Amino acid sequence: MKGTRTLVASLVALALTPSTQAASDAEELSQLKDQLNALLNRIEQLETKTAQAEARAEAAETRAAATAPASRSVTSGNDSIRLSLSGHVNRALLYADDGQDGDLYHVDNDASSTRVRLIGEGDVGNELTVGTAIELQLESNSTADVNQENESVSGDTISERRLEIYFDHQRYGKLWLGQGWTASEDSSEMDLSGTALAGYSSTGDIAGGIRFRDGDGNLLESTVGDTFINLDGLGRRDRLRYDTPSFAGLTWSVGTVENDAWDTALKYSAEYDFFTLATALAYSNQKDNDGQVNGSVSALLDNGFNLTLAAGRRELDTAGDPRFYYGKLGYRQHWFRFGETALSLDYHRTEHAELSGDKGRAYGLQAVQNIDRWATEAYLGYRNYDLSRPGVSTEDIDALLMGARIKF
């Protein structure tokens, strides 16, 4: 509006410039002055209304900012870095029966422990991103620790999961440095069933600390977690890792890990006309073994049915190489408007996991209900654990876990 008013004023000055024609027609000049004055008054009125509208809009924005949740804004101490805060809380009730006694435990589900993470990222040009990750685990009474003689686990409940930096280039791949996922991490855990919270290839997670009893009712030192392994690579460690860019869904990773260990993995995921596929195959080597091979594959059909398989073997100098086999059949469907329902059943077999000659068999049932508007997953899982050990009679363990994970 100010620009328009300036233009009109210029026209007025131009109109008042002496000329032979204007001087000879005073009446026409007077009419022109009146018209221009009326136009200037109209412009001034419009400017006043515009200023009032802008003031109302600014006031509305101020009220909206004042009522918005503060958690939606996370500020970095460095203007060059984007900072995000996320995580979840995962609490549950665990009932475990060891063949003689049954106990109820208040637990944090070790299948997806309570955690909080900070991710900071900055862009260097159009293709390179520099990032940092700090992720802490906060577990009170983890399902991996509670047992018949220790229902309330004492000690530190905070531990680090990720403390790392990374460089991600669209064409040249991703380089990781620090504590985090090794190249072979998750290679035994490709799972599209939607029920991993209640049960997946690491079947010991939901009751890992519970101890077996012998036939006379005595507690053994052996736990569910000792027997039911899934040989999932080298886990989270301090390492230097490199991932290639994805080539039509295929990624290759390799890493050198603390204590003279190293690993490598191939992972592939893709969506086809009628199903989605996720697979992984890994090899790892460290001081206490002569190498380990493990992998998994999971397929989700468009109709909701899914199948997951996993297996692995670790070579030792002694007799009895630890190994495992795992299978799951599941179904996912939107029966309710508030979120997807996932159901599954699975079977897990292990050999020589703790002692040579040990054989473990577990089967389970899982159900997970998503509640999308609450960012919540409610779950229920049942599992039976059976340990067969030469010369020792053991009781089965039955475990029932019920809980919820809420993400933020």
Side-chain angles (χ1 to χ4, degrees):
M1 285 296 183
K2 290 183 179 180
T4 304
R5 188 171 184 179
T6 301
L7 177 60
V8 172
S10 299
L11 291 175
V12 172
L14 181 61
L16 295 176
T17 301
S19 66
T20 304
Q21 183 177 358
S24 64
D25 196 346
E27 184 179 355
E28 183 177 351
L29 180 59
S30 178
Q31 292 177 355
L32 179 59
K33 288 180 181 180
D34 293 340
Q35 292 174 0
L36 289 175
N37 286 330
L39 179 58
L40 287 173
N41 290 333
R42 179 57 178 163
I43 291 174
E44 186 173 352
Q45 293 174 1
L46 291 174
E47 285 181 345
T48 300
K49 291 182 179 180
T50 300
Q52 292 172 348
E54 290 175 348
R56 289 193 298 269
E58 184 176 353
E61 290 175 357
T62 302
R63 290 193 299 271
T67 58
S71 59
R72 292 182 181 271
S73 177
V74 180
T75 303
S76 171
N78 189 318
D79 293 339
S80 300
I81 299 295
R82 300 182 301 274
L83 185 63
S84 64
L85 171 67
S86 62
H88 61 252
V89 176
N90 190 354
R91 298 299 299 178
L93 294 174
L94 169 65
Y95 178 80
D97 188 330
D98 60 15
Q100 179 170 314
D101 293 316
D103 290 301
L104 181 67
Y105 305 87
H106 298 266
V107 295
D108 195 288
N109 183 355
D110 197 55
S112 180
S113 57
T114 294
R115 66 194 63 170
V116 60
R117 71 179 66 86
L118 286 168
I119 304 296
E121 291 189 334
D123 297 325
V124 182
N126 296 325
E127 296 183 302
L128 177 63
T129 298
V130 176
T132 65
I134 299 175
E135 183 172 273
L136 301 179
Q137 175 175 277
L138 304 94
E139 285 190 291
S140 175
N141 289 349
S142 170
T143 55
D145 296 326
V146 295
N147 57 48
Q148 296 91 324
E149 295 185 334
N150 193 1
E151 296 184 18
S152 181
V153 181
S154 61
D156 295 336
T157 61
I158 301 177
S159 59
E160 68 272 12
R161 288 175 55 86
R162 298 173 63 193
L163 301 170
E164 62 184 347
I165 61 176
Y166 54 88
F167 305 88
D168 190 3
H169 196 281
Q170 293 182 7
R171 287 183 295 152
Y172 301 131
K174 192 170 187 177
L175 187 68
W176 316 67
L177 176 63
Q179 177 172 311
W181 304 298
T182 57
S184 54
E185 165 79 341
D186 291 336
S187 51
S188 290
E189 300 174 357
M190 298 292 106
D191 192 327
L192 301 176
S193 67
T195 60
L197 272 176
Y200 66 119
S201 67
S202 185
T203 58
D205 282 1
I206 72 166
I210 304 299
R211 294 163 60 180
F212 285 96
R213 290 188 184 271
D214 63 20
D216 296 324
N218 301 310
L219 284 174
L220 302 176
E221 291 298 321
S222 299
T223 67
V224 168
D226 294 331
T227 302
F228 291 90
I229 57 175
N230 72 342
L231 301 177
D232 186 37
L234 298 182
R236 291 184 311 278
R237 305 270 288 276
D238 283 290
R239 85 297 189 226
L240 176 65
R241 166 181 166 179
Y242 169 72
D243 298 349
T244 66
S246 176
F247 299 102
L250 180 66
T251 302
W252 174 63
S253 303
V254 63
T256 175
V257 187
E258 59 184 338
N259 296 324
D260 298 325
W262 67 276
D263 61 354
T264 185
L266 284 172
K267 295 181 180 180
Y268 175 75
S269 60
E271 294 184 5
Y272 295 91
D273 290 341
F274 304 106
F275 68 99
T276 301
L277 183 68
T279 66
L281 178 64
Y283 175 84
S284 56
N285 190 293
Q286 51 188 337
K287 289 181 178 179
D288 63 354
N289 63 64
D290 294 328
Q292 173 181 299
V293 177
N294 64 284
S296 56
V297 56
S298 188
L300 170 63
L301 303 181
D302 289 349
N303 60 13
F305 284 101
N306 52 85
L307 176 66
T308 300
L309 301 172
R313 176 173 177 168
R314 177 181 297 157
E315 294 186 8
L316 302 177
D317 293 333
T318 59
D321 294 337
R323 66 193 73 177
F324 85 98
Y325 311 93
Y326 176 81
K328 175 193 277 188
L329 180 64
Y331 183 66
R332 302 170 60 166
Q333 192 57 256
H334 282 84
W335 285 317
F336 308 104
R337 296 179 60 183
F338 51 80
E340 183 184 64
T341 305
L343 306 171
S344 63
L345 56 89
D346 64 3
Y347 176 79
H348 187 197
R349 177 180 174 182
T350 64
E351 297 178 5
H352 318 298
E354 185 179 17
L355 299 177
S356 181
D358 281 358
K359 292 183 179 180
R361 294 179 178 83
Y363 64 85
L365 302 170
Q366 302 86 32
V368 175
Q369 178 61 57
N370 291 269
I371 307 173
D372 296 336
R373 292 189 62 182
W374 296 353
T376 296
E377 299 148 288
Y379 56 86
L380 179 68
Y382 164 77
R383 192 169 298 283
N384 172 271
Y385 300 99
D386 173 29
L387 169 62
S388 176
R389 175 169 289 173
V392 179
S393 175
T394 59
E395 300 287 345
D396 285 7
I397 292 175
D398 292 292
L400 182 66
L401 185 71
M402 178 178 63
R405 179 175 70 176
I406 302 178
K407 297 180 179 180
F408 61 86

